[in-house]
Amino acid sequence: MDIILTNTSDEPIYQQIVTQIKTHIMNGTLCAGDALPSMRMLAQQLRISVITTKRAYEELERDGFIESFAGKGCFVKGQNTEFLREEHIRQTEELLSKACERAKQCDLSLEEMKEMLELVYGGTDDE
């Protein structure tokens, strides 16, 4: 499992970890039952504070992506496929929202945005 942190991101380090682990789980790189590195080991690998990795793991557990077992560690939790789909939809909406904000800043019309989306998405169904 590769986690790449960047100091230039506006996103806090713990959130970068959360986002990347969620992505690994959603794309199948990490599967149900897979063990995550211990908080200490991950902190060492990333050269960050254990408190930061602890916060990331707590958020992942709260969001239902991992589960912790005392003395055993943290493991990827079995995912409900509908839950994963909802998470993908939520992330897509977030990205589209950012794209719309940027489009409004440069006065792109909704029609221009639709055309752009169709090109990026891979064309329309009637082509």
Side-chain angles (χ1 to χ4, degrees):
M1 172 180 71
D2 291 327
I3 295 179
I4 300 165
L5 301 178
T6 176
N7 292 332
T8 58
S9 174
D10 292 335
E11 193 175 40
I13 290 174
Y14 84 92
Q15 192 60 51
Q16 291 179 49
I17 295 168
V18 168
T19 301
Q20 290 180 52
I21 291 177
K22 281 183 179 181
T23 299
H24 287 309
I25 292 170
M26 289 188 296
N27 70 19
T29 304
L30 288 172
C31 300
D34 286 351
L36 295 178
S38 72
M39 290 179 213
R40 288 186 198 284
M41 186 183 296
L42 185 61
Q44 264 184 329
Q45 289 172 350
L46 299 176
R47 296 188 175 129
I48 59 173
S49 163
V50 174
I51 294 169
T52 303
T53 56
K54 182 178 189 300
R55 184 171 180 188
Y57 279 21
E58 286 172 348
E59 185 165 321
L60 286 163
E61 188 165 19
R62 187 186 70 238
D63 290 350
F65 283 87
I66 67 171
E67 51 192 344
S68 299
F69 298 98
K72 293 184 180 181
C74 295
F75 298 85
V76 176
K77 193 171 183 179
Q79 298 296 312
N80 176 330
T81 55
E82 189 59 33
F83 176 77
L84 285 177
R85 186 180 189 309
E86 284 299 316
E87 181 65 17
H88 281 288
I89 291 169
R90 185 194 64 74
Q91 288 178 359
T92 302
E93 287 172 347
E94 189 177 308
L95 291 169
L96 285 171
S97 178
K98 289 178 184 177
C100 288
E101 287 174 26
R102 179 72 48 94
K104 289 175 184 176
Q105 289 172 354
C106 62
D107 293 324
L108 276 176
S109 70
L110 179 58
E111 285 305 311
E112 289 171 312
M113 280 294 292
K114 287 179 182 178
E115 286 176 32
M116 226 184 270
L117 182 60
E118 286 175 355
L119 285 170
V120 172
Y121 194 79
T124 61
D125 292 340
D126 56 349
E127 288 181 351

